[in-house]
Amino acid sequence: MSSTARIGLMYCLVFVSLEAFQAVYLGAIFQKVDSFLVGAWVFGISVVGCTVMTAIFRPDELAVSLRAWRIVLALNLFAAVTWCTYFLAVQLIEPAIVFTIFSGMVPMGTVLAKLIGLPEASSFRRKSVDLGNILIFLAILFLAAITVLGFSGFVRGGWLMAVAGVVLSALSGTCTAFVILFSVRLNGHGVGPLAQFGFRFLLYTCLALIAFAAGLDDKGDHTVAADLALVVLIGLAVIAFPLYLVQRAIPLLQASVIAAMTALGPVMVFLMQLMESRVDYSGATLAGVSIYMAGALLAVFGATRPAAGSFSPGKDSQSNCH
């Protein structure tokens, strides 16, 4: 495996670890704080900071981004849907289930993108990947069923809220797959991680500010400025920073490998939520996560093997591909 591929895999692993903490932390914090307010601050700071740094150090990428405005718009649309749905889902159902469905729908979304003809979604044909994806899909169906039927560790409300949480989680993961794919396309035009990270959250930041002003996720409690500052600071560490690491991985790895790697992590969420103790232990959730992890490990094993010696960033080898 090349050194660049190893670095890309390391970025993905750190991303998964921080995302696991994020799922549990946000699930608790968003019971009390407006998720759109936190999102507007975290991504607003990211947009301003990354755009200013791009203008100073890589001004040519601003011009390239303007010329590729259709790709930037697509990135913004998918990123906005991703985070609006994820922040809502993590409040409604068990964090481990949200994160597992979200993570599993990233490779599923990549398969969907391949079916509709996005060239960035091309990948090597491996039986282990196919079997892994089948197990991941079965695990998603199992976790959805136990959530709706009341066998999971936590649902905020009745079965209708359970269905909403499952659907929002699935939509968030699917849109994340398209964020990765359009990021690959924009990278091919010469727009690097720093610029992309700033540009792709413009729409979400605007929508979050509007949603906050409209009180769409108002918890009825006034948030003390010092408490909000701490939440935003932690949010930058566990939301913005890991997303930037994935952005750094995009030029180094094939999109299908990134999708497979982001499928790892739900077991960490399950353990973290037990330590956090807000959510009850659920043997059914553990069973679903175990099925999922078997599929994820198979998919990662198959996805990383061909990428080791034959992938060069920005180009997909055509041999043995779908």
Side-chain angles (χ1 to χ4, degrees):
M1 180 178 290
S2 67
S3 59
T4 55
R6 289 193 187 95
I7 293 171
L9 291 175
M10 181 189 69
Y11 286 149
C12 289
L13 286 173
V14 176
F15 162 78
V16 167
S17 300
L18 291 176
E19 283 278 286
F21 175 79
Q22 173 213 115
V24 177
Y25 173 76
L26 294 182
I29 224 60
F30 285 164
Q31 303 295 323
K32 305 172 184 176
V33 180
D34 191 312
S35 63
F36 291 114
L37 176 61
V38 176
W41 272 105
V42 169
F43 290 122
I45 291 171
S46 301
V47 166
V48 173
C50 292
T51 303
V52 169
M53 290 180 68
T54 299
I56 294 173
F57 298 107
R58 298 179 179 273
D60 55 313
E61 293 185 11
L62 293 174
V64 175
S65 298
L66 289 174
R67 290 196 296 270
W69 66 268
R70 291 180 179 84
I71 305 174
V72 175
L73 178 60
L75 265 177
N76 271 266
L77 288 171
F78 284 113
V81 175
T82 290
W83 289 101
C84 285
T85 53
Y86 182 83
F87 283 161
L88 292 173
V90 81
Q91 304 177 57
L92 299 178
I93 61 176
E94 187 175 347
I97 292 179
V98 172
F99 191 72
T100 304
I101 294 176
F102 164 82
S103 300
M105 288 305 299
V106 176
M108 296 298 102
T110 306
V111 171
L112 174 62
K114 189 186 305 181
L115 292 175
I116 64 178
L118 263 67
E120 292 82 8
S122 62
S123 62
F124 294 85
R125 186 62 184 261
R126 288 287 191 182
K127 289 182 179 179
S128 58
V129 174
D130 293 338
L131 178 58
N133 284 338
I134 290 171
L135 287 174
I136 287 172
F137 185 66
L138 290 175
I140 290 172
L141 293 178
F142 179 81
L143 290 169
I146 66 169
T147 300
V148 174
L149 294 175
F151 296 111
S152 67
F154 168 75
V155 174
R156 187 184 178 187
W159 68 269
L160 197 57
M161 289 295 100
V163 171
V166 168
V167 171
L168 290 170
S169 302
L171 182 57
S172 181
T174 302
C175 287
T176 296
F178 283 87
V179 168
I180 292 171
L181 295 170
F182 280 107
S183 290
V184 170
R185 183 175 297 185
L186 192 57
N187 183 77
H189 283 70
V191 181
L194 186 67
Q196 286 201 37
F197 193 69
F199 297 152
R200 82 185 200 196
F201 296 117
L202 285 166
L203 179 59
Y204 172 78
T205 302
C206 294
L207 290 176
L209 287 171
I210 293 170
F212 169 68
L216 295 183
D217 193 31
D218 186 10
K219 300 300 190 300
D221 296 322
H222 175 69
T223 304
V224 178
D227 293 341
L228 178 61
L230 178 61
V231 171
V232 171
L233 184 62
I234 296 174
L236 286 168
V238 301
I239 300 174
F241 180 63
L243 289 174
Y244 178 69
L245 291 179
V246 171
Q247 196 70 58
R248 290 292 303 270
I250 283 171
L252 308 178
L253 296 170
Q254 198 174 22
S256 58
V257 178
I258 296 173
M261 289 298 297
T262 56
L264 297 173
V267 164
M268 284 189 281
V269 178
F270 187 82
L271 294 174
M272 286 180 186
Q273 75 179 21
L274 288 179
M275 290 188 292
E276 192 252 351
S277 75
R278 179 178 62 91
V279 176
D280 291 335
Y281 171 83
S282 170
T285 299
L286 181 58
V289 170
S290 298
I291 296 169
Y292 170 88
M293 284 304 298
L297 289 171
L298 275 172
V300 169
F301 173 73
T304 53
R305 276 204 301 163
S310 56
F311 171 69
S312 62
K315 297 180 181 179
D316 289 318
S317 173
Q318 298 300 313
S319 61
N320 299 322
C321 291
H322 283 297

